[in-house]
Amino acid sequence: MTRVLRITVACCLLVINQATRMHRCELARVLYKNELDGYEGYSLNDWICLAFVESKFNVSKINENADGSTDYGIFQINSHYWCNNYQSHSENYCHVDCEDLLEPDLISSINCAKKIISGQRGMRNWLEWRLHCAGRPLSYWMTGCHLR
């Protein structure tokens, strides 16, 4: 009986986990619809690369950092500066609850990411983007994606 219960719970968790990941082209359509193509000079390829290197397109990813802050959502937005997680001090520059960055419609994540890249450092605020996306050919991220 316990074995059956464990298997059932494991299957449910697997389904829930998969439901939080977006397909690359689905993400491209959402980003395009929210006018991110060319926003502050960054292409959809930059945005998709950012989402992949930060979260592997996982909308509900949460990562606890060594400094006590936490990164949230598809863009891994940090609680110390950008959102309020009510667990530690936050500047909350995006004026948003960190939990809102986990919503599948991505509206809070997109609005906050726009605020982040509008600053002096742009996408260079994300270390993973600097290491894996900046200055590299990125056109393959849109391969096979139809935006309309």
Side-chain angles (χ1 to χ4, degrees), residues 20-144:
T20 61
R21 292 188 193 277
M22 291 187 85
H23 184 272
R24 173 180 54 86
C25 292
E26 177 188 5
L27 175 61
R29 282 188 289 278
V30 170
L31 298 177
Y32 182 78
K33 182 180 137 198
N34 284 277
E35 301 177 346
L36 288 179
D37 191 23
Y39 188 82
E40 295 290 335
Y42 295 99
S43 70
L44 284 181
N45 295 313
D46 285 302
W47 288 99
I48 294 167
C49 186
L50 171 65
F52 179 77
V53 299
E54 285 293 338
S55 69
K56 306 287 188 279
F57 306 132
N58 186 344
V59 174
S60 60
K61 182 177 180 183
I62 298 174
N63 182 58
E64 294 181 17
N65 300 307
D67 67 359
S69 67
T70 305
D71 297 333
Y72 290 86
I74 199 161
F75 300 125
Q76 289 295 277
I77 295 173
N78 187 268
S79 65
H80 183 74
Y81 298 104
W82 304 105
C83 65
N84 191 349
N85 65 0
Y86 302 99
Q87 296 174 7
S88 59
H89 172 73
S90 173
E91 298 298 329
N92 196 10
Y93 292 131
C94 288
H95 307 290
V96 66
D97 290 344
C98 294
E99 291 291 319
D100 293 346
L101 301 174
L102 305 175
E103 292 295 323
D105 67 6
L106 300 182
I107 299 302
S108 294
S109 292
I110 288 170
N111 289 337
C112 188
K114 282 180 171 181
K115 182 170 281 243
I116 294 168
I117 72 157
S118 293
Q120 185 175 356
R121 296 182 64 210
M123 278 197 182
R124 295 196 173 281
N125 279 296
W126 283 275
L127 174 63
E128 295 300 318
W129 183 86
R130 290 193 317 256
L131 293 174
H132 303 288
C133 307
R136 297 177 188 258
L138 301 175
S139 60
Y140 60 89
W141 285 110
M142 291 296 295
T143 301

